[in-house]
């Protein structure tokens, strides 16, 4: 069978075996579209059906999560953990709590995680999990009871050497703390390395909170440096206003750029003079309020209800909210307005049509798999510290993160060049991520 036909057949089989999981299909297609030249060079991988095996998760768990709300009413959510690939190390990937969560979202995220984790150079496999639980508007007590119930099922299949969850949308330090506490209680073990994103006082790592945002900015800075440019003086928009968006903003400001817009699912805040990050942090991290409340404190800012953040002209954009938030139309608008670089803090935030627009325009485009790898990389550093009972300082950990992001950029660039699409970091990330996993899988036999 000709190569393109073979890859198309694999894709059709994935659709057939995983009906109704559009996001998972999209993530698989993007990787398959990059792998043609790899199979020409390494026909053995096709022979050994490596890609077919990578597309099938090693294990998937779906479970009931019952809990009681503050009125004593019983609520039922659904929990997921997809252990996708353990060729490089224990399964590793975050937990997402959001009403949109279903198996297709968890599988797309878990699939992406395999390649992302491979790119970090650390010994970690790929996984993802979560629930359709919505933490928004819930009391601390409700969130705690939910997290405890979630862990009461999850603990059976995780462990320091087995599977190490972390945070994602809707799961931050508070939720990780509640889940770690319940795991400890159920197992009677203080097993620090079982989960990452922990608080600093009980085994967390410096820089983990900042890592995804900082790492994404380091990646963009690296892309720009190769184009003899930098973030200094650049006008920047960042979608979302959660963990990734906040620390992207912080690093952009430190490097001399100016973030002029942020968003949430209700709308956009915009201030050409630049946003005040201290206020954002108080609103979002301490008071858990909405982004529109920012305008109560800063008269020069305006709130655009249900606005589209990509309409705002900028030099650099960081999609940092959710999947498929940048459409083809948005991408064309960004390019037309003079945007020169995109750093994807979120996972798969750009539709396939949008990705094509960025690639065709030749702007610096850092796909999520590579650009947001700093979060999981620093989780890997947290695991290292837990294993050696050490706690590194902020500057030391940040320097390691910075070095990892430079290296991710370099290996993606080199793979893109070697396999015939110089400058195309989508192909570069997919190929470099894939090759390491494929080598490990080949060495480990048919498992
Ligand atoms: P948070 O929960 O901290 O923040 C998410 C932000 O995105 C919020 O402002 C939220 O707005 C907005 N958002 C979420 N879903 C939607 C939606 N469907 N439509 C519009 N806005 C939405 O999550 P993170 O910052 O941790 O994650 C953001 C992205 O980064 C995700 O794609 C995640 O997978 C990715 N990522 C995160 C990593 C991490 O370390 N945390 C690591 C690598 C990637 P609202 O409050 O209105 O819902």
């Amino acid at each position: 069978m000709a190569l393109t036909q073979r890859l198309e057949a694999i894709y059709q089989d994935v659709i057939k075996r995983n009906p109704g999981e559009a996001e998972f299909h999209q993530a698989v297609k993007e990787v398959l579209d990059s792998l043609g030249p790899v199979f020409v060079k390494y026909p053995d991988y096709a022979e050994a059906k490596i890609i077919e095996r990578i597309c099938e998760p090693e294990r998937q768990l779906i479970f009931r999560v019952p809990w009681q709300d503050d009125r004593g009413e019983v609520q039922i959510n659904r929990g997921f953990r997809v252990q996708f690939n353990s060729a490089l190390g224990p399964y590793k990937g975050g937990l997402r709590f959001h009403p949109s969560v279903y198996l297709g979202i968890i599988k797309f995220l878990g699939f992406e995680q395999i390649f992302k984790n491979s790119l970090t150079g650390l010994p970690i496999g790929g996984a993802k999990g979560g629930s359709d639980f919505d933490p928004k508007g819930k009391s601390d007590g409700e969130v705690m009871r939910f997290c405890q119930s979630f862990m009461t099922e999850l603990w059976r299949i995780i462990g320091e050497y087995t599977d190490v969850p972390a945070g994602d949308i809707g799961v931050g330090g508070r939720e990780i703390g509640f889940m770690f506490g319940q795991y400890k209680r159920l197992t009677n073990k203080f097993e620090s390395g079982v989960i990452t994103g922990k608080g600093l006082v009980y085994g967390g790592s410096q820089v983990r909170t900042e890592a995804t945002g900082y790492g994404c900015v380091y990646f963009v800075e690296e892309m720009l440096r190769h184009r003899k440019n930098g973030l200094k003086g650049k006008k920047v928009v960042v979608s979302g206003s959660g963990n990734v968006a906040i620390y992207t903003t912080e690093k952009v400001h430190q490097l001399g750029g100016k973030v002029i817009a942020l968003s949430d699912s209700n709308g956009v805040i915009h201030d050409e003079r630049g946003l005040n990050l201290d206020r954002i942090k108080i609103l979002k991290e301490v008071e858990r309020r909405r982004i529109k409340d920012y305008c109560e404190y800063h008269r020069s800012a305006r709130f655009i209800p249900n606005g589209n953040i990509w309409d705002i002209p900028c030099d650099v954009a960081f999609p940092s909210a959710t999947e498929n938030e940048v459409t083809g139309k948005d991408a064309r608008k960004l390019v037309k307005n003079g945007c020169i670089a995109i750093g994807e803090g979120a996972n798969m935030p750009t539709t396939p049509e949008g990705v094509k627009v960025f690639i065709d325009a030749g702007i610096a485009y850092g796909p999520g798999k590579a650009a947001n790898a700093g979060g999981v990389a620093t989780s890997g550093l947290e695991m290292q510290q837990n294993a050696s009972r050490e706690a590194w300082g902020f500057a030391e950990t940040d320097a390691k993160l910075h070095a990892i992001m430079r290296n991710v950029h370099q290996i993606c660039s080199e793979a893109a060049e070697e396999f015939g699409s110089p400058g195309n970091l989508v192909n570069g990330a997919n190929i470099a991520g894939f090759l390491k996993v494929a080598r490990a899988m080949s060495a480990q036999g048919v498992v």
Side-chain angles (χ1 to χ4, degrees), residues 28 35 66 113 131 181 197 225 285 298 323 348 351 408 420:
V28 169
L35 291 184
Q113 199 82 43
S131 172
R225 195 172 66 80
E285 294 185 331
H298 295 274
E323 55 277 357
M348 208 169 74
T351 62
V408 172

Side-chain angles (χ1 to χ4, degrees), residues 193-422:
V194 71
I195 198 162
T196 58
K198 299 181 292 294
L200 290 176
V201 290
Y202 66 95
S205 172
Q206 296 282 0
V207 194
R208 178 59 190 91
T209 304
E210 296 84 356
T212 308
Y214 277 23
C216 193
V217 178
Y218 291 146
F219 192 90
V220 166
E221 186 74 353
E222 200 58 17
M223 289 195 298
L224 290 174
R225 195 172 66 80
H226 281 257
R227 292 163 183 248
K228 312 244 175 303
N229 209 335
L231 277 164
K232 200 166 179 358
K234 298 290 185 296
K235 248 191 343 185
V236 175
V237 302
V238 182
S239 66
S241 47
N243 171 269
V244 178
I246 286 174
Y247 291 95
T248 295
T249 303
E250 183 161 286
K251 187 50 76 179
V252 166
H253 286 176
Q254 285 173 10
L255 294 180
K258 184 168 69 173
V259 173
I260 58 166
L262 285 163
S263 65
D264 63 17
S265 53
N266 298 126
V268 176
I269 54 164
H270 177 206
D271 187 345
E272 280 294 313
R273 299 199 305 195
L275 296 173
N276 178 333
L277 185 61
D278 291 341
R279 172 61 57 196
I280 305 277
K281 281 189 178 177
I282 293 169
L283 285 171
K284 298 303 297 182
E285 294 185 331
V286 182
E287 298 173 352
R288 295 183 188 277
R289 289 167 68 186
R290 308 299 296 162
I291 200 72
K292 75 168 173 4
D293 298 340
Y294 179 87
C295 301
E296 287 173 22
Y297 302 88
H298 295 274
R299 300 250 165 226
S300 55
R302 63 179 178 134
F303 177 65
I304 314 162
N306 301 315
N308 183 350
I309 195 165
W310 314 122
D311 287 345
I312 298 171
C314 62
D315 302 310
V316 181
F318 288 91
S320 306
T322 193
E323 55 277 357
N324 291 326
E325 55 169 313
V326 184
T327 63
K329 194 170 157 215
D330 297 329
R332 279 188 288 277
K333 175 82 66 65
L334 281 161
V335 172
K336 184 164 162 269
N337 284 342
C339 180
I340 57 163
I342 307 284
E344 293 187 339
N347 285 305
M348 208 169 74
T350 308
T351 62
E353 189 192 348
V355 173
K356 188 169 179 323
V357 171
F358 293 141
I359 299 280
D360 289 350
I363 67 170
Y365 172 59
K369 237 181 236 118
N372 71 37
V376 72
T378 309
S379 278
L381 301 180
E382 183 172 332
M383 291 161 72
Q384 277 184 30
Q385 292 168 80
N386 293 153
S388 61
R389 303 274 188 272
E390 285 178 311
W392 307 333
F394 192 97
E396 182 184 357
T397 316
D398 190 30
K400 287 182 199 282
L401 167 65
H402 201 162
I404 289 171
M405 294 315 296
R406 276 207 218 103
N407 190 52
V408 172
H409 177 267
Q410 188 179 336
I411 59 177
C412 292
S413 304
E414 286 171 2
E417 180 102 28
E418 183 186 342
F419 287 87
S421 45

Side-chain angles (χ1 to χ4, degrees), residues 28-67:
V28 169
K29 175 136 188 13
E30 190 211 274
V31 171
L32 291 179
D33 282 348
S34 298
L35 291 184
V38 176
F39 286 132
V40 172
K41 189 160 178 187
Y42 300 107
D44 286 3
Y45 293 153
E47 200 58 41
K49 299 205 173 164
I50 297 285
I51 188 69
E52 288 93 328
R53 280 193 267 157
I54 286 185
C55 291
E56 186 69 23
E58 290 177 15
R59 191 173 297 110
Q60 309 181 55
L61 177 67
I62 302 180
F63 51 99
R64 180 172 68 200
V65 190
W67 56 282

